[in-house]
Amino acid sequence: MLLSQGRLRQTIILGALAFVVASGLCLYKTNLYEKLPVPAGLKPEPSPPPKPTPIYKATPEPRPDITDNFPRAASAKSPSDLPEIPPWNDPPEPHVDEKTPLFIGFTRNWRLLQQVVVSYITAGWPAEDIYVIDNSGVMLSNQNGLLGLQNPFYLDHKRLTDILKIKVLTTPTLLTFAQLQNFMTFNALENGWEHYFWAHMDSPAVSDEEYEEDGQPYKSLYMRALTVMRETMKPGYGPLAARWFAYDRLTLVRTQAYVDVGGWDTLIPFYMGDCDMHERLWMRNFTIEDAKAGLVYDVASAVDDLEMFYRRKSDKAKREDAAPPPPPEPPAPVPKSDGRNSPEYHELLKKLDEMQRAKNDDKAGRNTWQSAQHGGHGEPFYRDGPGFEQGISMTMNFGRDIFEAKWGRGQCDIRAAGLGEDDAWRVVPDWEKEEVQQRARDERRRETKKRLAKEKAEKKKGNG
């Protein structure tokens, strides 16, 4: 029986719908729909990859807080609150006629800086002649008292100038070692100083209290250094550039000699810069001579109380030791001076010698004191401690590469290798190696052969 036209249309539509539903279910269950082409403009955008997040290095172990190593100076209201310098090391009064400026550069580690300043004061150096260069790179933050003791770049500007009575020069930004050396020379030029001294901040100095020479009276470290400077000022002394006391832990510089060779090469910021400078001085026939003035140590730590450098009260003392909160019994009387070369003096030498040996024997390196502090977060000019140390290390390595590029070799003895001042930046890398020398000989032979062939051709052409 034939369906009516309306029923037929209805059957077809229902069948089509059933087919579509069945096909959709089939595609869904088999995931085939993901493979079907999508009309242009309807294709969904792919999900973006997850945004990368910072991956941090391991957090360094926290360093123990440091304490100030001169409690008496920390509580002092005036210089008179400090112990007096042992009388045998008193600086001359009035000041000698000569200018004897002593520069000490500082970047970080207040305990070591304060130690070396106190050591020179107690060794007889006039406090007004000592210039600490605040090269912390924090601009006026130390002068304005904005940094805390745990900050590696902290320096107690007020204590240095008002209590210890020395001078502080502040660099406008962080200088490299080579730049700092030129800063010293520049200041000497500005002040008209023909000579100046400079010392490392990790090298405390002590007068040699056992010193005797040809029956001459005892001299402090300062007076012996002055004697050395006076020798160099005599007419006809010679083309001196520097005098080294205990290598260059303390150095006397003749200002004009450093100027004449163009100062330190600031392209070599740290290590190898001294090799470059000294070799260039010798190339100009300047001399660098050893000298003695006292005992100068190389340390990576500081004594816990810098009164050890004063050792004891002198007979001319007019004050009692600062006392803690009132004790039940009256404080013991202050011991009087027991004279030069005392047991206390030898105890100081023993301590400094132990510190020096500890630095030289440290398997972690000799300059661990430079990264001993990690504090100061949130303070002006804050720098991540390990990051700063890594950056300085990378800059040091870069300087070694510059030195090698400048002289074609990485070793310090560039004069002994046959190089002169005019050879800087002109020699090829590794020029001393045999294969490099052979290539140069081959190249010269090729050039000679080419030149002779050219001359022969020109001669033949002229005869024709």
Side-chain angles (χ1 to χ4, degrees):
M1 184 176 182
L2 295 176
L3 296 173
S4 66
Q5 190 173 4
R7 292 289 300 275
L8 179 61
R9 187 182 301 115
Q10 184 179 8
T11 302
I12 293 173
I13 292 172
L14 291 174
L17 286 173
F19 176 77
V20 169
V21 171
S23 299
L25 289 172
C26 180
L27 291 172
Y28 176 76
K29 289 183 174 296
T30 59
N31 293 328
L32 291 175
Y33 70 95
E34 294 180 353
K35 301 179 181 179
L36 294 176
V38 179
L42 298 180
K43 188 174 182 180
E45 293 292 329
S47 298
K51 184 178 179 180
T53 57
I55 301 173
Y56 295 100
K57 304 173 185 176
T59 303
E61 289 292 325
R63 303 292 177 90
D65 285 351
I66 67 166
T67 57
D68 194 285
N69 56 337
F70 201 177
R72 189 183 293 271
S75 61
K77 304 300 182 184
S78 72
S80 63
D81 292 330
L82 297 179
E84 293 190 7
I85 299 169
W88 47 91
N89 286 337
D90 273 342
E93 293 184 8
H95 194 287
V96 297
D97 293 337
E98 297 86 355
K99 305 293 184 182
T100 54
L102 170 63
F103 292 115
I104 303 172
F106 167 82
T107 296
R108 46 189 168 157
N109 198 313
W110 162 247
R111 284 170 59 94
L112 257 67
L113 174 71
Q114 187 171 217
Q115 175 173 263
V116 76
V117 169
V118 167
S119 78
Y120 275 100
I121 290 174
T122 55
W125 214 285
E128 65 269 23
D129 287 2
I130 299 176
Y131 293 77
V132 163
I133 302 176
D134 180 358
N135 184 44
S136 56
V138 299
M139 296 191 182
L140 299 180
S141 298
N142 280 318
Q143 183 174 332
N144 295 331
L146 301 179
L147 305 187
L149 179 62
Q150 305 310 317
N151 192 313
F153 306 98
Y154 165 85
L155 171 151
D156 193 330
H157 189 282
K158 182 176 176 63
R159 185 184 306 177
L160 293 177
T161 58
D162 294 359
I163 304 300
L164 296 174
K165 303 302 288 185
I166 71 167
K167 297 179 176 67
V168 177
L169 304 175
T170 303
T171 60
T173 190
L174 181 67
L175 304 180
T176 66
F177 182 78
Q179 291 169 333
L180 185 62
Q181 288 292 331
N182 287 343
F183 183 79
M184 296 177 191
T185 305
F186 177 78
N187 273 275
L189 286 172
E190 278 206 314
N191 287 281
W193 297 331
E194 295 182 1
H195 295 80
Y196 64 89
F197 294 84
W198 73 272
H200 292 269
M201 63 163 286
D202 57 346
S203 295
V206 181
S207 294
D208 183 356
E209 297 190 5
E210 296 182 283
Y211 167 76
E212 292 182 4
E213 184 176 327
D214 299 329
Q216 297 297 315
Y218 167 81
K219 292 181 180 179
S220 67
L221 178 143
Y222 172 72
M223 292 305 297
R224 291 178 67 187
L226 175 63
T227 300
V228 170
M229 190 181 84
R230 285 172 170 169
E231 290 174 359
T232 70
M233 298 172 69
K234 293 178 181 178
Y237 184 85
L240 179 79
R243 301 292 297 269
W244 283 344
F245 303 85
Y247 183 55
D248 69 348
R249 296 173 189 173
L250 171 65
T251 300
L252 167 65
V253 173
R254 183 177 280 178
T255 307
Q256 193 58 44
Y258 277 31
V259 173
D260 286 348
V261 298
W264 289 65
D265 187 346
T266 54
L267 293 177
I268 308 173
F270 293 101
Y271 290 120
M272 304 309 293
D274 54 347
C275 289
D276 177 85
M277 179 62 171
H278 300 149
E279 289 287 307
R280 287 188 291 113
L281 286 165
W282 284 315
M283 288 173 184
R284 290 282 192 95
N285 296 318
F286 287 107
T287 60
I288 299 175
E289 302 171 4
D290 291 329
K292 292 183 179 180
L295 307 173
V296 189
Y297 294 83
D298 180 26
V299 302
S301 55
V303 299
D304 290 330
D305 192 338
L306 294 177
E307 282 201 60
M308 191 174 193
F309 281 86
Y310 296 87
R311 296 193 302 281
R312 61 272 183 194
K313 297 293 293 181
S314 69
D315 286 329
K316 64 178 183 177
K318 298 178 181 179
R319 53 174 296 282
E320 298 280 333
D321 275 351
E329 300 291 336
V334 177
K336 298 297 183 181
S337 167
D338 56 5
R340 179 164 57 91
N341 196 25
S342 68
E344 289 86 353
Y345 167 74
H346 286 278
E347 185 64 26
L348 173 64
L349 299 190
K350 179 182 177 183
K351 179 65 175 178
L352 291 172
D353 185 64
E354 290 172 353
M355 290 159 59
Q356 180 169 262
R357 283 189 281 107
K359 179 175 183 176
N360 292 330
D361 295 342
D362 192 340
K363 295 180 180 179
R366 300 181 65 259
N367 292 323
T368 54
W369 61 270
Q370 295 177 350
S371 57
Q373 295 169 246
H374 288 173
H377 191 275
E379 297 176 353
F381 294 90
Y382 171 75
R383 306 179 184 100
D384 176 78
F388 182 82
E389 181 66 20
Q390 181 181 0
I392 291 293
S393 179
M394 293 170 69
T395 307
M396 289 176 178
N397 290 333
F398 175 71
R400 292 185 177 97
D401 292 341
I402 292 289
F403 177 87
E404 186 169 353
K406 181 177 182 178
W407 299 107
R409 66 196 309 272
Q411 291 75 34
C412 194
D413 54 343
I414 51 183
R415 285 176 305 129
L419 296 176
E421 186 177 11
D422 293 336
D423 293 322
W425 297 107
R426 297 181 60 241
V427 291
V428 300
D430 299 323
W431 57 271
E432 294 171 284
K433 293 183 178 179
E434 175 55 31
E435 58 267 29
V436 179
Q437 291 284 322
Q438 184 60 51
R439 284 199 301 269
R441 289 191 290 267
D442 293 342
E443 181 63 25
R444 286 195 294 270
R445 280 194 291 267
R446 285 192 294 270
E447 291 294 327
T448 300
K449 187 176 180 180
K450 186 186 298 184
R451 177 176 53 80
L452 292 175
K454 183 178 180 181
E455 291 174 356
K456 184 177 180 180
E458 290 176 349
K459 183 177 182 181
K460 183 177 180 180
K461 183 178 179 182
N463 292 335

